[in-house]
Amino acid sequence: MMAYLVFLGPPGAGKGTYAKRIQEITGIPHISTGDIFREIVKKENDELGKKIKEIMERGELVPDELVNEVVKRRLSEKDCEKGFILDGYPRTVAQAQFLEDFLDSQEKKITAAILFEVPEEVVVQRLTSRRICPKCGRIYNLLSLPPKEDELCDDCKVKLIQRDDDKEETVRHRYKVYLEKTEPVIEYYENKGLLKRVDGTIGIDNVVSKVLEIIRWSGK
Ligand SMILES: [Zn+2]
């Protein structure tokens, strides 16, 4: 199985979870730009990484052309011969255009851009239920992945905490920002007939089945 996929959806939609499952089933690699950036700034002798680190440390947004360069480099690695599942990219129309040109140059094209639709209230419920162990960093969810004992880490037995990122006000803000920023990218793929909408509230197994269906159907 081979596919060039873009995953779109709000924070808390579960994009990373779905991508990992699809990777396990199909071998198509999950490319998370968040992970790539965390990796690249850790490397000592990477010129591109150094540049990006400086920008991030100044608290500025990494410009499109650098993000594009990082993604291009990653997509040129050998495991991407089977395709890829992009998670966290493209975030702008300029990035989407770059991705298309890059694939064109290799005589490839996007199989589908899959939009996981999850209403704001569901996102708020999911993310505000998230708790983390302050000692070992293990992540729980009071709804879907609760600790054995009430709000205590299974391993450390210390009280779980909520990160600022997962507080209701922040979650609602992130959702709003997501809608504003992603709308043009959604439109871009819709205009090209590549957008597939998947209901992100039907449970992980059902969502994964839908995505597999899309891959099979689009591959023909
Ligand atoms: Zn712990």
Side-chain angles (χ1 to χ4, degrees), residues 133 136 153 156:
C133 170
C136 71
C153 178
C156 320

Side-chain angles (χ1 to χ4, degrees), residues 53-106:
K53 197 177 170 182
E54 280 168 18
I55 294 169
M56 285 166 70
E57 278 171 354
R58 288 201 299 267
E60 290 167 19
L61 217 61
V62 182
D64 274 350
E65 54 180 80
L66 285 186
V67 178
N68 289 340
E69 200 50 46
V70 168
V71 171
K72 180 177 165 182
R73 198 163 77 170
R74 179 63 186 88
L75 297 186
S76 305
E77 284 175 30
K78 201 166 184 323
D79 61 337
C80 291
E81 279 170 6
K82 293 199 75 171
F84 51 70
I85 303 164
L86 275 172
D87 164 13
Y89 181 95
R91 284 190 198 273
T92 65
V93 170
Q95 291 178 0
Q97 187 65 59
F98 176 87
L99 177 64
E100 193 178 328
D101 293 344
F102 170 68
L103 290 176
D104 266 349
S105 74
Q106 304 196 333

Side-chain angles (χ1 to χ4, degrees), residues 133 135-138 140 153 155-156 158:
C133 170
K135 204 171 162 202
C136 71
R138 189 163 156 189
Y140 295 85
C153 178
D155 302 321
C156 320
V158 299

Side-chain angles (χ1 to χ4, degrees), residues 141-156:
N141 190 297
L142 300 180
L143 295 175
S144 55
L145 197 68
K148 290 194 190 98
E149 279 176 73
D150 191 32
E151 304 228 8
L152 292 183
C153 178
D154 291 349
D155 302 321
C156 320

Side-chain angles (χ1 to χ4, degrees), residues 12-65:
K15 297 188 294 291
T17 307
Y18 307 140
K20 276 190 202 100
R21 288 279 289 274
I22 302 289
Q23 173 171 343
E24 280 163 20
I25 296 167
T26 63
I28 302 168
H30 169 211
I31 313 286
S32 150
T33 40
D35 290 347
I36 300 177
F37 278 96
R38 276 186 288 276
E39 278 304 311
I40 202 171
V41 297
K42 273 195 256 164
K43 283 188 203 157
E44 293 276 319
N45 303 317
D46 190 318
E47 280 307 312
L48 190 55
K50 249 188 239 167
K51 235 190 221 172
I52 289 169
K53 197 177 170 182
E54 280 168 18
I55 294 169
M56 285 166 70
E57 278 171 354
R58 288 201 299 267
E60 290 167 19
L61 217 61
V62 182
D64 274 350
E65 54 180 80

